[in-house]
Amino acid sequence: MSKVAQVTEITRRIEKYSDFFADFSVHPVTGQLNKKINEEAVKQSVRNLLLTDKYERPFHPEIGSNLRAILFENMTPGIKPVMDEYISDVINNYEPRANLIATNLSFDNDLNSVNVEVTFGVIETEDVVTVRVVLTRNR
Amino acid sequence: MAANTEFSVANLEFDSIKSNLITFMRGQAVFADYDFTGSSLNVLMDLLSYNTYYNNVYLNHVASEMFLDSAQLRDSVYSIAKSLNYLPRSYRSSVAYINIDVNPVTNPHQITIPRLTSFTSKVGDNTYSFSTNADIVVYANNGYVASNVAIYEGEIVQEAFLVSNTNSTSNTQQFYINNFDVDIASLTVKVRASNTDSTNSEYTRANTLFGLTGTSNIYFIEPSTNGSYKVVFGNGTFGRRLANNNLVELNYRLSSGTDPNGANSFSADTVAGHPAAISLVTKALNGDVFQNLDDIKFSAPRALATQERAVTTNDYETLILNEFGDITSAFVFGGDEEVTPQFGVVKAALRSQSYDVIPTTLKQQIINFIKPKMPIGMRLDVKDPKFINIEVKSTVRYNKNATQKTPSAIQSLVESTVVNFNNTNLDQFFKTFRLSKLMKDIDATDPSILSNSTAIRVVKEISPSINKAFTQRIEFNNKLKKDNPIDELTQDDFVGLSTPAVVSGTFTFNGITGCSLRDNSNGVLQVVTVTNNSINVINENVGTVDYEKGVVSIQELTITSYTGGFSSGIIKLYGRTISTDVFGKREDIIRIRPDETTITVEEIRE
């Protein structure tokens, strides 16, 4: 028996949170679904919530950030606090694992897009992570 | 797996389905984020739950549309009705009967009034077109008069279909009638060999396969989608099969439904090219829209039991009520049940929505409709119902402090209540009037109504010829309450307090005005004059009263003149019943008429 095989409880990474990839990608060798664990799972969840509009989920119209709904609003200074509020609302209401720390919005007038950066701490793991989402029209 | 054993499949709501999925996911450890709204697993569960829910709803609808009791879609109900060999009733044209007096300038021997001769009539602001459905010949020696001509409301439409290869090679040849407001009874079907052939063969409608051969010129009518119909031809074994390039011509009438009912004044520019005078015999009635779904659900299984044959009393009632929209209630019995038994006769007492006395033309229509369905050797006698009217006198007390309504508004509301009570509970065969129910309804008319005192009398009408001895048996069919006998000489002031079992409206007898009929509480009917404090007997005996059976027999009464009553030429006979419940027996119809309802309103402040 190799000594490397002996792993103690302290060094083993605990799978507190686990989710699959949104694109259903599979492991090339085992053929099983790839997993996102812990802060990666939470990041994917936050990203999903940010990109979900209200009335998008069946039977639960209240879920979602509604960010895309304001994509066609004029890019005025007044829009920023509205987006901040949308982001904090959705994370506080629907992602209990994330402790929102900061939101950073930067407008790119030439590309008609908004770069959204959300920084939060993951509860129980105490990791601080940042999710970046670019909001822009598709076509 | 333990988790699988707890997996519930009985829940039908989205949230329950998702909750079951979450319960299932808790039993395995591969993915743990089922509880977090934004996780991919949660999104996937949303989709699975939605899909399951969608299938639940879909299957629920499929299942409910499969059964006649629960089907909601017209197409589904029609389809099920078709399997019961029931054809839902189509739109139906109003029919009026008129006399046509043609006035030609020359004097031809005869004039033919062609089929589809058009007449117009107005109901409200709308003008409707009526037409004849057959050629009518009038002769000089009869003054060019056509009597009792039936004219049918609606626009005439012709549709033509060319039989194509596709149609001729399929198992059945069927053509869809493109108008849903077609009156199926008006449909005529003709077939030409080709569209260049000027001759045609008329096909007749078949309802059964009996007696059909491969050369029978017949067609069937079947319900189709959206309330429309289709014409189906034979398959070469039962009914002639159409050949390729045959031309099918459908002629039919489009009905305006119930709207033209009541049309009573008809005109035409010319009739057969001549001026004509038109007089009304019977106003337009019996027009109807297509059968509603509840009605089909009620009728289809019963029609299957009836098999289009009139044998039992229920068969007659179902057939008549189904065919004649104007008939709202029917009571059918054998002639052997009459007081004087009549064998070989079926009696049908029918309540018409439009008439108290059903016109002879409508009676004949009903007989003509039923006759082919009756056993050989039997005949149908259509009778009018015997009405027992209820006179209602009600004093309603209401709290002035509880409402802003005026006494006349309260009175109007209570009158509506009485009318509704009649429409809901009475005016059909075998219905019973119950005073307590009416009083309860009156109290519930408005929250401000505190109480009501309501009294009733039963009313029958007689129409004696004047200056002729009149004899008639009047059946109240409810026990009558006789008063204490009143002595003509000693009653004095008590006349005003006496309540005889039977009294009548006033008439002139032997030149004395203000006479009325009144029983003497000993079973004798007398002619009297009455004031508040005196009673004079003019004729001591003009009939009898059977209080137990509720029967009044007027014998040899000669009246000089009368005008009173609901309309002129009618004397009302009022009966006081023992019970406040009035029963209708056999041909009796109990009803309350607005003209015999008196509502008095008293204001109280409390």
Side-chain angles (χ1 to χ4, degrees):
Chain A
M1 182 187 285
S2 159
K3 286 186 177 178
V4 180
Q6 292 178 345
V7 180
T8 64
E9 282 294 313
I10 295 166
T11 57
R12 201 170 91 193
R13 185 172 169 80
I14 299 167
E15 272 188 32
K16 179 69 182 169
Y17 309 119
S18 57
D19 196 4
F20 55 82
F21 280 63
D23 61 359
F24 290 98
S25 63
V26 294
H27 192 280
V29 178
T30 63
Q32 294 186 335
L33 278 177
N34 282 329
K35 287 167 78 173
K36 288 202 177 206
I37 58 171
N38 296 347
E39 74 274 7
E40 286 303 316
V42 181
K43 273 171 76 174
Q44 177 174 269
S45 175
V46 169
R47 187 184 171 82
N48 279 346
L49 287 170
L50 292 177
L51 292 176
T52 303
D53 260 3
K54 294 199 187 291
Y55 295 97
E56 197 176 313
R57 295 277 284 263
F59 294 93
H60 283 287
E62 75 282 4
I63 295 174
S65 68
N66 225 24
L67 284 178
R68 279 193 294 157
I70 56 172
L71 202 58
F72 293 92
E73 298 290 328
N74 288 327
M75 238 180 228
T76 58
I79 209 77
K80 189 174 179 298
V82 174
M83 291 178 77
D84 279 339
E85 191 180 334
Y86 281 0
I87 292 166
S88 63
D89 279 354
V90 74
I91 291 176
N92 291 337
N93 288 333
Y94 298 111
E95 190 42 88
R97 297 169 292 181
N99 193 4
L100 184 64
I101 297 169
T103 308
N104 183 19
L105 300 174
S106 60
F107 295 97
D108 190 334
N109 291 339
D110 295 334
L111 292 175
N112 292 320
S113 64
V114 183
N115 298 311
V116 180
E117 253 184 35
V118 179
T119 306
F120 57 88
V122 178
I123 290 173
E124 295 203 20
T125 66
E126 297 183 4
D127 293 332
V128 173
V129 291
T130 301
V131 172
R132 291 184 183 82
V133 177
V134 179
L135 296 174
T136 185
R137 52 185 291 186
N138 289 330
R139 55 195 164 90
Chain B
M1 284 170 65
N4 278 341
T5 59
E6 292 177 9
F7 198 79
S8 169
V9 293
N11 298 94
L12 300 176
E13 294 298 325
F14 177 86
D15 286 334
S16 312
I17 295 165
K18 190 173 175 185
S19 148
N20 288 338
L21 275 175
I22 290 174
T23 307
F24 171 71
M25 296 303 291
R26 281 205 178 103
Q28 53 84 53
V30 182
F31 298 113
D33 290 359
Y34 41 78
D35 265 338
F36 302 113
T37 312
S39 70
S40 298
L41 188 57
N42 202 288
V43 173
L44 180 65
M45 285 194 297
D46 268 351
L47 285 173
L48 291 173
S49 305
Y50 179 60
N51 186 264
T52 309
Y53 179 77
Y54 189 92
N55 276 309
N56 279 342
V57 172
Y58 177 71
L59 286 173
N60 194 291
H61 283 191
V62 168
S64 76
E65 292 300 318
M66 284 171 67
F67 300 99
L68 190 60
D69 287 333
S70 52
Q72 298 291 313
L73 297 174
R74 183 164 283 274
D75 287 358
S76 307
V77 174
Y78 272 32
S79 177
I80 299 165
K82 189 161 71 175
S83 68
L84 296 173
N85 196 27
Y86 179 76
L87 184 69
R89 200 173 56 226
S90 68
Y91 267 68
R92 199 166 41 199
S93 293
S94 276
V95 191
Y97 289 84
I98 56 173
N99 294 332
I100 307 170
D101 185 358
V102 184
N103 301 307
V105 179
T106 57
N107 292 316
H109 169 64
Q110 67 182 56
I111 295 171
T112 302
I113 302 172
R115 176 174 177 263
L116 305 183
T117 297
S118 183
F119 302 85
T120 55
S121 181
K122 280 191 88 168
V123 178
D125 291 334
N126 298 322
T127 304
Y128 296 99
S129 174
F130 287 70
S131 58
T132 54
N133 72 338
D135 289 349
I136 300 158
V137 181
V138 291
Y139 297 95
N141 61 3
N142 200 26
Y144 302 112
V145 172
S147 301
N148 265 344
V149 177
I151 54 173
Y152 299 82
E153 185 276 331
E155 184 189 341
I156 305 297
V157 171
Q158 184 180 56
E159 286 195 75
F161 302 90
L162 194 64
V163 179
S164 69
N165 283 325
T166 316
N167 274 326
S168 62
T169 51
S170 63
N171 286 331
T172 54
Q173 293 160 312
Q174 52 192 25
F175 302 93
Y176 293 87
I177 297 174
N178 285 312
N179 292 290
F180 70 93
D181 47 355
V182 51
D183 179 355
I184 283 300
S186 70
L187 181 69
T188 60
V189 176
K190 291 176 181 172
V191 178
R192 293 171 194 257
S194 71
N195 59 359
T196 54
D197 192 346
S198 57
T199 58
N200 58 34
S201 313
E202 181 146 358
Y203 278 49
T204 54
R205 183 176 158 191
N207 294 314
T208 170
L209 297 181
F210 283 117
L212 298 186
T213 67
T215 56
S216 304
N217 286 349
I218 55 94
Y219 66 90
F220 300 91
I221 291 282
E222 284 183 10
S224 178
T225 52
N226 293 329
S228 64
Y229 294 86
K230 63 183 176 186
V231 176
V232 180
F233 287 92
N235 57 4
T237 306
F238 297 109
R240 187 186 295 277
R241 181 185 174 80
L242 298 185
N244 200 21
N245 288 328
N246 280 173
L247 187 75
V248 178
E249 292 176 354
L250 308 182
N251 273 280
Y252 55 84
R253 204 169 40 233
L254 300 182
S255 160
S256 303
T258 54
D259 296 345
N261 286 350
N264 56 11
S265 175
F266 296 90
S267 62
D269 291 339
T270 56
V271 172
H274 305 284
I278 294 151
S279 59
L280 182 73
V281 178
T282 307
K283 68 182 179 184
L285 54 89
N286 218 24
D288 209 346
V289 296
F290 55 37
Q291 200 171 7
N292 68 44
L293 296 188
D294 285 341
D295 210 10
I296 297 172
K297 290 176 183 180
F298 175 81
S299 301
R302 286 164 180 79
L304 179 71
T306 307
Q307 294 284 344
E308 285 290 305
R309 290 176 199 135
V311 181
T312 67
T313 55
N314 278 345
D315 295 345
Y316 284 88
E317 288 169 7
T318 306
L319 285 166
I320 292 171
L321 290 175
N322 199 32
E323 182 64 19
F324 295 92
D326 190 55
I327 305 299
T328 52
S329 182
F331 168 55
V332 177
F333 57 99
D336 57 314
E337 294 175 28
E338 287 279 36
V339 179
T340 311
Q342 291 174 268
F343 297 98
V345 182
V346 176
K347 304 264 183 176
L350 304 176
R351 173 72 173 120
S352 157
Q353 202 169 15
S354 310
Y355 297 99
D356 286 352
V357 179
I358 300 172
T360 315
T361 48
L362 180 55
K363 283 182 181 169
Q364 194 57 48
Q365 260 187 292
I366 293 167
I367 292 169
N368 292 346
F369 169 72
I370 289 289
K371 184 69 183 167
K373 301 172 173 60
M374 292 178 70
I376 297 167
M378 302 289 286
R379 73 179 169 85
L380 178 68
D381 184 9
V382 176
K383 302 181 74 178
D384 295 310
K386 296 177 179 173
F387 291 103
I388 299 177
N389 303 315
I390 307 278
E391 181 201 55
V392 176
K393 283 187 177 172
S394 183
T395 303
V396 176
R397 284 167 286 277
Y398 83 106
N399 184 3
K400 181 74 177 161
N401 290 343
T403 181
Q404 292 187 331
K405 294 190 177 83
T406 61
S408 61
I410 296 286
Q411 181 186 355
S412 174
L413 285 173
V414 174
E415 282 169 355
S416 299
T417 299
V418 176
V419 170
N420 289 339
F421 182 85
N422 176 63
N423 294 341
T424 312
N425 301 301
L426 304 174
D427 216 351
Q428 293 199 335
F429 293 102
F430 297 106
K431 294 286 185 182
T432 300
F433 170 83
R434 299 188 193 282
L435 179 60
S436 65
K437 302 263 188 205
L438 175 64
M439 293 173 75
K440 190 177 157 198
D441 279 10
I442 291 175
D443 277 348
T445 302
D446 191 88
S448 66
I449 293 179
L450 300 168
S451 67
N452 74 85
S453 308
T454 303
I456 57 150
R457 287 192 295 181
V458 287
V459 187
K460 282 276 194 180
E461 293 172 345
I462 55 173
S463 301
S465 300
I466 56 171
N467 296 320
K468 274 187 185 172
F470 175 74
T471 298
Q472 189 170 331
R473 176 186 163 92
I474 296 123
E475 294 171 346
F476 286 108
N477 283 341
N478 285 270
K479 287 182 183 177
L480 297 173
K481 186 177 185 182
K482 58 182 173 182
D483 201 10
N484 290 325
I486 295 172
D487 184 340
E488 182 192 353
L489 300 174
T490 59
Q491 38 73 35
D492 291 335
D493 290 346
F494 295 104
V495 170
L497 302 173
S498 71
T499 46
V502 177
V503 291
S504 77
T506 56
F507 52 86
T508 305
F509 179 79
N510 278 349
I512 304 167
T513 57
C515 293
S516 60
L517 296 170
R518 186 179 177 114
D519 73 297
N520 72 346
S521 305
N522 277 325
V524 178
L525 198 64
Q526 300 178 327
V527 178
V528 298
T529 56
V530 180
T531 65
N532 274 346
N533 53 18
S534 73
I535 181 168
N536 292 319
V537 177
I538 311 297
N539 188 321
E540 284 185 346
N541 190 339
V542 291
T544 59
V545 178
D546 184 333
Y547 300 103
E548 199 60 26
K549 290 182 178 169
V551 175
V552 177
S553 295
I554 300 174
Q555 289 151 5
E556 303 289 320
L557 171 67
T558 304
I559 287 174
T560 316
S561 69
Y562 64 95
T563 54
F566 180 62
S567 60
S568 64
I570 285 171
I571 297 177
K572 287 187 181 183
L573 209 59
Y574 300 90
R576 201 161 56 96
T577 55
I578 287 179
S579 169
T580 51
D581 291 352
V582 180
F583 302 92
K585 289 174 187 165
R586 294 177 62 84
E587 299 142 81
D588 289 339
I589 281 192
I590 313 283
R591 65 175 175 179
I592 304 171
R593 295 189 292 190
D595 310 77
E596 288 163 344
T597 304
T598 310
I599 309 294
T600 311
V601 178
E602 288 179 2
E603 288 179 17
I604 293 172
R605 289 185 186 274
E606 65 174 37

